[in-house]
Amino acid sequence: MLPVLRALGDADGGVQQMELTRRVADGLMLTEEERKLTLPSGRQTVIHNRTGWAGWYMKQAGLLDNVKRGVWAITQDGRQLLASNPECIDLKTLAAYPRFEAKMARNKDPDSGVVEPEMADQNDGQTPTEQIEEAHQKLNQTVATELREQMARMDPYKFEQLVIDLLFAMGYGGNRAEAALVTQKSNDEGIDGIINEDRLGLNVIYVQAKRWQSTVGRIEVQNFVGALAGKHATKGVFITTSDFHKNATEYASSVQHKVVLIGGQRLADLMIEHGVGVSTVRTIALKRVDSDYFED
């Protein structure tokens, strides 16, 4: 919060949120890599998120204000605090302002899960957005582990169908009936499935699906590439419930064929992302105030 207040204290008038983020990053001397670091969702950078939340908390105490939507400005109280040369600004600092205490008391709801001001500083400096995304990520990791356990017990041919279902959910093929063809259980010549890359079927992708416990090595990938060559195919996806050995990934990247390797963890993540083998238990909508609604 202190770097945000300093950045606004040096500004002549209001500062737009993106510009404020840049000034704070410059003041903290962040590297380019640190500036690009995103939240788990990838939708927002960490520095932009933290700058925004720092502004929100200080606004509750009357240290900052929005002169218009997305534009921050320091208040007289903010300048007075800055003039006192504080070592840091945290929630304990803000708690000294009656306005902050009053607003936090109104926000507090025993059933809402809102973190009380004096406790929020214990969350490793995380903003509420970061806490929500971290919790969401942990829940998905648990679901991914359960998916991998379920797939490990599946019938191999049902697993092949699951892989085709996933590729269809990801947008490959046209409608469900024409999207994919799972080959016969025998005499598949190293190919477990065929799916159209586009609705017109101008190109096809050959699929190998291995429900394995052990690591997939180079020889298995090499056999798959050989099967592709036998079909005069250029693209293939090798999917397994386990993982790939380093020599398998190195080989796949060295051949002319475009071969994508998907291990168990990535497979589970894709299933969660595209809703295959999972169901939504609860949806939470995060709201924000629409400033335009309240403007004259």
Side-chain angles (χ1 to χ4, degrees):
M1 286 187 275
L2 182 55
V4 171
L5 195 66
R6 283 174 175 163
L8 290 172
D10 295 336
D12 183 16
V15 179
Q16 200 272 339
Q17 179 67 54
M18 290 298 295
E19 172 62 15
L20 178 59
T21 299
R22 185 191 67 78
R23 294 188 183 199
V24 170
D26 289 344
L28 293 172
M29 294 185 290
L30 298 186
T31 65
E32 195 64 28
E33 183 179 0
E34 289 169 333
R35 294 169 192 248
K36 292 180 179 179
L37 183 65
T38 64
L39 300 175
S41 66
R43 296 178 180 177
Q44 192 179 47
T45 61
V46 171
I47 182 61
H48 187 75
N49 178 262
R50 292 190 176 185
T51 300
W53 275 106
W56 183 88
Y57 274 107
M58 288 192 287
K59 180 181 177 180
Q60 310 313 304
L63 305 179
L64 305 182
D65 202 0
N66 291 115
V67 293
K68 60 181 180 179
R69 184 177 184 180
V71 178
W72 293 99
I74 191 170
T75 64
Q76 186 59 36
D77 283 346
R79 291 194 181 280
Q80 288 178 357
L81 176 59
L82 206 55
S84 70
N85 196 28
E87 293 184 2
C88 74
I89 300 175
D90 54 21
L91 295 179
K92 291 181 180 179
T93 307
L94 302 186
Y97 292 84
R99 175 177 170 178
F100 181 79
E101 285 284 82
K103 288 210 171 190
M104 291 299 102
R106 287 199 299 270
N107 288 340
K108 184 179 177 183
D109 181 343
D111 298 322
S112 68
V114 173
V115 181
E116 292 191 39
E118 63 270 22
M119 296 176 60
D121 283 335
Q122 300 174 13
N123 292 309
D124 299 324
Q126 290 182 315
T127 67
T129 306
E130 289 175 299
Q131 294 172 38
I132 291 171
E133 293 206 4
E134 183 177 288
H136 181 256
Q137 191 175 44
K138 287 180 179 178
L139 287 171
N140 278 353
Q141 288 172 352
T142 301
V143 174
T145 299
E146 293 178 4
L147 282 173
R148 295 187 71 174
E149 291 173 353
Q150 290 284 348
M151 288 187 288
R153 296 192 293 266
M154 287 184 74
D155 176 88
Y157 299 114
K158 287 186 177 180
F159 175 66
E160 292 174 8
Q161 188 63 59
L162 179 153
V163 166
I164 297 298
D165 288 342
L166 174 61
L167 292 173
F168 171 69
M170 293 173 64
Y172 293 96
N175 57 51
R176 186 65 186 85
E178 67 185 21
L181 169 67
V182 176
T183 58
Q184 295 179 356
K185 295 184 179 181
S186 59
N187 195 32
D188 63 4
E189 298 179 333
I191 303 296
D192 292 328
I194 305 170
I195 191 166
N196 290 332
E197 186 175 11
D198 55 82
R199 180 64 187 272
L200 297 178
L202 296 175
N203 206 346
V204 295
I205 297 174
Y206 289 82
V207 181
Q208 178 73 281
K210 291 291 187 186
R211 188 189 59 79
W212 277 17
Q213 300 293 330
S214 57
T215 302
V216 177
R218 169 175 172 149
I219 187 64
E220 288 79 24
V221 177
Q222 190 170 345
N223 290 340
F224 179 53
V225 172
L228 293 178
K231 298 288 186 180
H232 303 289
T234 59
K235 299 178 181 179
V237 180
F238 196 126
I239 300 179
T240 180
T241 52
S242 59
D243 294 299
F244 292 94
H245 193 279
K246 182 180 179 181
N247 59 24
T249 57
E250 290 176 346
Y251 175 77
S253 62
S254 68
V255 297
Q256 282 188 322
H257 298 77
K258 180 63 177 178
V259 178
V260 176
L261 306 182
I262 299 178
Q265 182 60 51
R266 189 181 177 196
L267 172 59
D269 291 341
L270 288 171
M271 290 173 66
I272 293 171
E273 180 181 350
H274 297 280
V276 175
V278 297
S279 58
T280 301
V281 176
R282 182 181 179 188
T283 300
I284 301 174
L286 302 181
K287 308 290 186 179
R288 69 177 181 182
V289 174
D290 184 357
S291 302
D292 292 341
Y293 178 85
F294 295 97
E295 291 184 358
D296 294 334

